[in-house]
Amino acid sequence: MTDIAERARTLTQQRRPFVHATVVRAQEPTSARAGDAAVILDDGSIEGFVGGQCAESSVRSAALDTLRDGQTLLLRVLPDSSADFPETPGALVVVNPCHSGGAIEIFLRPVLPAPVLRLVGSTPISDAVATLAGFLDLEVVRGESFEGATAAVVAGLGKGEEAAIRQALDAGVGFIALVASRRRGAAVLDGLGLSDEERARVHTPAGVDIGARTPQEIALSIMAEVVRAIRVDGLAAPVGGQPPAAPPTAIDPICGMTVVIGPDAIAAGGHYFCGTGCRTAFLARA
């Protein structure tokens, strides 16, 4: 468990998405025990232990789904007969025909990199935005590059705005907030000669209209718009920062389970298997 916790911390520092899986309940006969843990990487590989090979196949598939929607999930891996295992409302139930006969529940928690906010400008408003964004657990960056940024706030108040907007658009930033009056903001965008698609990604005047006056109030209105873009509109994912695509899958010809075709997939004769037992049975009858 300690090794998995350390691995999770390392992956978080590397900004690599993963799923932290923990066995919360197990009913014999099963090799997993409550407290067993693993991390599932975005390529489908599993580090740690949350059950045998058959259970891992179901865990891998469900974990990759949580990376795409960002929601936690309680996964129940049950044998064909599971009448004695207590019900758990809201859980995803997977019937495992080749399971050992026990049942397990595994809590899957996706851990996604914090959104990156690229901040432009050295003004009271930009400082207030940085403070509030940090409180909201966004990673605030003031460097030169816009690569990997989820959103950008340009608060230079007339200094370097055009160049910053152009760089952010070229880097694929999905949401760009320009702090300016409606008239000046429109003039800046007109001068850049943007396409309709590019102009739709730049929001000016920045922020939700709450009658803000102070730098702190303006920052609140800006961050409300940024959070809405990230959580509701889905406009803020940077190029290369989209959730992982659904991996290819295959049907185990022996037990009928869906198998994720990944780096740890078990294959033979052009088929994929949930575990070595099904592969052995397939080769024996071939």
Side-chain angles (χ1 to χ4, degrees):
M1 185 67 173
T2 302
D3 291 341
I4 293 301
E6 182 61 34
R7 179 62 170 145
R9 283 191 290 270
T10 299
L11 291 169
T12 301
Q13 293 169 356
Q14 294 173 344
R15 296 185 56 78
R16 181 169 182 181
F18 67 96
V19 175
H20 193 284
T22 305
V23 177
V24 295
R25 184 161 56 175
Q27 178 175 284
E28 294 184 350
T30 178
S31 55
R33 295 291 182 269
D36 287 343
V39 294
I40 298 92
L41 306 184
D42 52 357
D43 63 0
S45 58
I46 297 178
E47 301 177 14
F49 183 79
V50 286
Q53 288 180 327
C54 290
E56 278 192 353
S57 182
S58 299
V59 171
R60 178 181 291 108
S61 179
L64 293 176
D65 285 342
T66 69
L67 280 181
R68 286 187 288 276
D69 64 24
Q71 301 297 312
T72 58
L73 176 69
L74 183 63
L75 174 68
R76 311 179 83 218
V77 183
L78 309 180
D80 288 327
S81 176
S82 57
D84 295 333
F85 200 57
E87 292 293 334
T88 304
L92 172 65
V93 177
V94 176
V95 176
N96 193 331
C98 62
H99 198 45
S100 62
I104 55 176
E105 281 186 347
I106 303 167
F107 183 68
L108 302 175
R109 179 174 64 89
V111 181
L112 303 172
V116 174
L117 179 69
R118 172 67 166 86
L119 191 55
V120 178
S122 298
T123 64
I125 292 176
S126 66
D127 290 342
V129 168
T131 298
L132 183 54
F135 175 76
L136 295 172
D137 291 331
L138 275 71
E139 183 174 336
V140 180
V141 177
R142 289 181 182 264
E144 295 295 326
S145 176
F146 285 85
E147 295 299 327
T150 307
V153 174
V154 180
L157 301 183
K159 298 179 181 179
E161 294 171 331
E162 293 86 351
I165 292 171
R166 182 70 265 167
Q167 291 170 21
L169 290 169
D170 291 344
V173 178
F175 183 94
I176 303 163
L178 171 62
V179 180
S181 67
R182 190 175 303 278
R183 176 179 295 180
R184 191 174 72 80
V188 170
L189 299 189
D190 288 342
L192 284 168
L194 305 179
S195 67
D196 291 342
E197 184 276 334
E198 289 176 329
R199 190 152 186 156
R201 289 155 58 194
V202 184
H203 300 255
T204 189
V208 177
D209 186 2
I210 58 173
R213 295 184 179 181
T214 69
Q216 293 78 12
E217 291 172 348
I218 294 171
L220 176 62
S221 72
I222 292 171
M223 290 310 303
E225 192 173 27
V226 170
V227 170
R228 183 178 65 190
I230 294 173
R231 302 301 186 196
V232 178
D233 299 336
L235 298 175
V239 172
Q242 275 74 5
T249 60
I251 301 298
D252 186 321
I254 298 298
C255 68
M257 286 187 62
T258 299
V259 179
V260 174
I261 302 175
D264 300 327
I266 299 171
H271 297 276
Y272 291 87
F273 306 90
C274 69
T276 55
C278 285
R279 181 178 61 182
T280 298
F282 174 82
L283 294 175
R285 75 179 191 182

